[in-house]
Amino acid sequence: YASLIATILLYAGVALFCGCGHEALSGTVNILQTYFEMARTAGDTLDVFTMIDIFKYVIYGIAAAFFVYGILLMVEGFFTTGAIKDLYGDFKITTCGRCVSAWFIMLTYLFMLAWLGVTAFTSLPVYMYFNLWTICRNTTLVEGANLCLDLRQFGIVTIGEEKKICTVSENFMRMCESTELNMTFHLFIVALAGAGAAVIAMVHYLMVLSANWAYVKDACRMQKYEDIKSKEEQELHDIHSTRSKERLNAYT
């Protein structure tokens, strides 16, 4: 059940991050093209639109990879539980099984660090959109305020390009009044929450895998003890049978 809960949490977090992150990136492209009047650079130049396309492909890979990885972790948890329940039956705990559990622990730890990095990286667009949303709100509260947002501050464009939008411009007022800005901002927030949920799922998986590995290790020791005990009892039984036969022969 612990593995099942962690799998559900992982799928929910990855789904929120990938789905909302993809739509938020598409909304960002529309905002840059419509209100900041930016256009795609011809050729193989690495601009902001090319980077957004790369991020979308990365999202596709994350969704597919963690769908498979969640299934593997859940199956590993089920097999480990079965190994504990069938300890005194015909099931034998192998060294390969313990190595697989240790490998999953190491891999899950690395994925947890990766998701921490993804969470930190996702907070950057949330911060950018929060600044933009704050400028829009301050413009409506303070009359006559002349505030500007320069994309060069966030590294979206090069220093030589001036892509600045101010509160006195018509594009800025249209952007603040549109629902696209608000929707994209909240989509990035949900994507950030999804990345945080994935981190929690990885921590949950680490606890489950560590506990299962410890149980399997103790079960292996108990299994060795039972094997040695059974072997000694068999030897004692053989010795007792041999002595009984010798006494019977001597009596005869």
Side-chain angles (χ1 to χ4, degrees), residues 70-187:
I71 293 177
L72 292 177
L73 288 177
M74 186 169 60
V75 170
E76 195 274 342
F78 287 162
F79 271 106
T80 307
T81 304
I84 299 302
K85 289 183 178 180
D86 298 334
L87 173 62
Y88 299 100
D90 296 330
F91 188 88
K92 296 297 182 181
I93 300 173
T94 62
T95 305
C96 180
R98 296 195 300 273
C99 291
V100 169
S101 297
W103 170 255
F104 272 123
I105 292 174
M106 182 185 68
L107 200 60
T108 304
Y109 180 76
L110 295 177
F111 281 146
M112 184 197 68
L113 296 179
W115 274 109
L116 283 174
V118 170
T119 304
F121 183 77
T122 310
S123 63
L124 295 179
V126 174
Y127 172 73
M128 295 178 188
Y129 273 97
F130 177 75
N131 287 339
L132 187 56
W133 178 75
T134 303
I135 293 176
C136 289
R137 188 182 61 177
N138 291 338
T139 303
T140 57
L141 294 178
V142 182
E143 295 183 359
N146 186 16
L147 305 176
C148 296
L149 179 69
D150 196 341
L151 296 182
R152 292 177 295 182
Q153 296 174 333
F154 304 104
I156 297 178
V157 296
T158 59
I159 300 298
E161 299 181 67
E162 184 177 355
K163 294 296 181 181
K164 182 171 62 175
I165 187 171
C166 298
T167 56
V168 294
S169 63
E170 182 181 356
N171 286 340
F172 184 86
M173 298 304 298
R174 286 173 43 241
M175 180 181 63
C176 292
E177 293 174 357
S178 66
T179 59
E180 193 171 20
L181 174 64
N182 193 37
M183 178 62 68
T184 305
F185 176 43
H186 286 87
L187 283 175

Side-chain angles (χ1 to χ4, degrees), residues 32-51:
L32 292 176
Q33 290 178 340
T34 304
Y35 304 109
F36 287 89
E37 298 179 352
M38 293 183 61
R40 290 181 178 270
T41 305
D44 298 332
T45 306
L46 184 64
D47 57 356
V48 62
F49 298 106
T50 305
M51 294 179 63

Side-chain angles (χ1 to χ4, degrees), residues 191-210:
L192 178 62
V199 173
I200 297 175
M202 290 291 104
V203 174
H204 198 165
Y205 268 128
L206 278 177
M207 293 188 293
V208 172
L209 292 170
S210 300

